[in-house]
Amino acid sequence: MSYQRLIVERHGPVGWIINNRPDRLNAYDALMRKEFPAAWAELDAAPDVRVIVHTGNGRAFQVGADVDDLDGEGIKQYQETMQTLDLKLTGWHCNVGKPVITAVNGVCAGGGLHWVADADIVIAASDATFVDPHVSIGQVSALETIALMRKMPAEAVLRMALVGSHERLTAQRAYELGMISQIVDPPDKLRDVAQELAEKVARNSPAAMRATKRALWGALEHGLTDACREGAKHLTSMWGHPDQDEGPKAFADKRTPRWLPLEPDS
């Protein structure tokens, strides 16, 4: 598929999705919303891709919905996706089984926080900033900030949501609060660091990583006991998989494991 709002690339075992509306600070319009599920599906299905990195071109990572697009047919489509909760923006929305890394460059605002909340790993350039301006323009902050409560203290999320556009989180503060796991300095090294991190992740068993993602993300939907029961199902789903024999053999032989390609999701 050809893309107009996104750039989709592959570098070794790493697939890249790059927001490409720098003149609009990468705000998403109807076309970009349409392209996201296609891009996620393409890379999730690619046998040679083991990890997916998402970032942006220009001085912003993402600033949410393009307000100029929210009229006529655009607002109708946007409202329908919200009412049905069928956003299909992030890897989590699209049920991506491979590890997803979000690499935040520059400004991340409003709806851009979807990709921070829903990624498996988030890193950010040292000059990145985070802000949720919804209430400052008379809108409700809900989906992105609800999701962020899974990885950050509730009060920190509430403060960001209620203070709105009048305060921004620096990369350092985001790191302290657990929103991101790494700060990259200088900022122009962000993509190199993201590629290096993704290649580390890509060295592991694709099947084991997919089962791990299902177990850990699924745990957020349950209480402790039920989460452990469900996690055990994902653990035992790998029993008999060739990677479980290959891992110990490769370790004993002091060689790189030869993992099986990831089979289509079931």
Side-chain angles (χ1 to χ4, degrees):
M1 174 177 173
S2 61
Y3 299 91
Q4 297 179 54
R5 298 288 193 258
L6 302 173
I7 296 172
V8 177
E9 298 177 342
R10 304 181 193 188
H11 299 281
V14 184
W16 283 77
I17 296 176
I18 304 169
N19 303 326
N20 194 37
R21 293 189 79 203
D23 57 316
R24 299 294 296 175
L25 299 181
N26 290 319
Y28 58 82
D29 59 1
L31 180 55
M32 186 181 275
R33 288 199 300 271
K34 181 179 179 181
E35 290 183 354
F36 268 119
W40 289 117
E42 176 185 328
L43 294 178
D44 200 33
D48 57 326
V49 172
R50 293 188 177 183
V51 183
I52 303 172
V53 177
H54 180 213
T55 193
N57 273 340
R59 61 190 181 91
F61 166 69
Q62 246 286 351
V63 295
D66 189 335
V67 293
D68 289 346
D69 185 57
L70 298 182
D71 58 3
E73 190 61 31
I75 189 63
K76 180 181 177 182
Q77 183 193 69
Y78 183 76
Q79 289 173 341
E80 287 176 353
T81 62
M82 287 298 173
Q83 290 168 345
T84 60
L85 204 60
D86 189 29
L87 274 67
K88 298 252 174 74
L89 293 173
T90 71
W92 182 70
H93 293 157
C94 296
N95 197 32
V96 170
K98 294 175 181 176
V100 173
I101 298 171
T102 290
V104 180
N105 58 295
V107 180
C108 179
L113 294 168
H114 277 300
W115 289 275
V116 174
D118 293 350
D120 302 309
I121 301 171
V122 184
I123 66 174
S126 58
D127 61 354
T129 59
F130 303 83
V131 61
D132 183 11
H134 281 99
V135 298
S136 299
I137 54 173
Q139 305 298 312
V140 175
S141 177
L143 301 184
E144 307 92 321
T145 39
I146 288 170
L148 278 173
M149 282 190 172
R150 299 174 301 190
K151 61 169 60 181
M152 295 171 61
E155 183 171 337
V157 178
L158 281 160
R159 175 169 174 154
M160 183 168 62
L162 296 176
V163 175
S165 62
H166 307 295
E167 186 172 274
R168 292 182 179 228
L169 290 182
T170 64
Q172 180 62 40
R173 186 60 178 149
Y175 176 79
E176 292 167 356
L177 293 169
M179 179 187 278
I180 65 175
S181 62
Q182 184 177 358
I183 299 171
V184 179
D185 191 42
D188 62 7
K189 294 296 184 183
L190 179 67
R191 293 195 188 181
D192 291 339
V193 172
Q195 177 72 23
E196 181 181 358
L197 174 60
E199 288 178 0
K200 288 180 184 177
V201 176
R203 293 163 61 185
N204 301 312
S205 163
M209 289 195 294
R210 182 167 65 186
T212 297
K213 277 193 61 166
R214 287 173 172 170
L216 297 185
W217 280 96
L220 297 173
E221 307 287 345
H222 302 284
L224 178 59
T225 300
D226 288 338
C228 289
R229 287 196 181 105
E230 289 300 311
K233 293 178 183 178
H234 294 298
L235 188 156
T236 57
S237 73
M238 279 291 292
W239 288 0
H241 192 285
D243 281 3
Q244 289 217 315
D245 291 328
E246 172 62 11
K249 287 179 181 177
F251 180 81
D253 295 342
K254 296 182 173 55
R255 60 174 174 80
T256 300
R258 293 184 287 268
W259 306 119
L260 287 186
L262 196 62
E263 296 182 356
D265 206 357
S266 56

